[in-house]
Amino acid sequence: MPISLTAAKAIGCCGVIQRVLLSDDGQILRLGTEERVFNRHQRRAIALRDGGCLIPGCGVPVNWCEIYHVDEHADGGPTHTDNGVMLCFWHHRNLESSGWRIRMRGGVPEVLAPGWIGHLSRRWRRVTKSPTRLVDRLAGAG
Ligand SMILES: [Zn+2]
């Protein structure tokens, strides 16, 4: 059944797809078993680091967020904490059209605001909503 590219990307990031390679005769040549879904331990660690939907101004809390592969799994992006960030349902499905960009630098997520927000905000910056990391930042600043 045909599905939209957006739906396919969402399934590819959150859903479970098992790749099975068949020969022309119908023999199973390869059975993919790689993990494409973040496990609960990875999710907890990412939740501690990000503290909710990563997009500034979005208040969706950790428990309502999904984990997004920054480098898409379909393109070889690993299911690793250094490649996963928390996004709400809406930002996960509309990230490209929203104009927000996300990259990882040394295992820390950075965001780039869309052009319509203004040139002053148009730089890559680290973000977090994690109470633990915000307290650490305040302690470090003092
Ligand atoms: Zn969001």
Side-chain angles (χ1 to χ4, degrees):
M1 174 170 67
I3 59 174
S4 72
L5 185 58
T6 302
K9 282 184 174 181
I11 291 169
C13 195
C14 291
V16 176
I17 297 174
Q18 188 169 38
R19 294 176 190 187
V20 180
L21 181 62
L22 301 175
S23 71
D24 290 340
D25 300 339
Q27 179 189 10
I28 297 172
L29 298 175
R30 194 174 346 153
L31 182 63
T33 57
E34 63 189 277
E35 293 282 336
R36 78 180 304 124
V37 178
F38 290 89
N39 66 37
R40 63 192 168 104
H41 304 291
Q42 292 171 313
R43 183 179 169 83
R44 267 194 229 135
I46 292 169
L48 180 66
R49 185 194 64 208
D50 296 348
C53 179
L54 199 64
I55 301 301
C58 182
V60 175
V62 163
N63 290 342
W64 295 356
C65 284
E66 304 172 343
I67 308 292
Y68 165 70
H69 284 85
V70 177
D71 291 329
E72 287 190 41
H73 191 272
D75 295 335
T79 302
H80 187 280
T81 52
D82 287 353
N83 190 42
V85 299
M86 298 218 109
L87 288 180
C88 68
F89 179 90
W90 193 90
H91 279 117
H92 196 172
R93 281 153 187 82
N94 297 288
L95 187 65
E96 285 184 32
S97 60
S98 75
W100 286 96
R101 298 292 174 259
I102 299 173
R103 71 180 183 187
M104 299 300 286
R105 286 292 180 265
V108 179
E110 294 181 346
V111 299
L112 180 67
W116 52 263
I117 285 188
H119 293 294
L120 293 176
S121 302
R122 191 101 174 117
R123 63 177 176 82
W124 286 99
R125 59 190 168 120
R126 291 182 169 190
V127 291
T128 187
K129 292 168 185 161
S130 164
T132 303
R133 289 186 58 211
L134 292 172
V135 167
D136 288 348
R137 273 192 197 169
L138 288 174

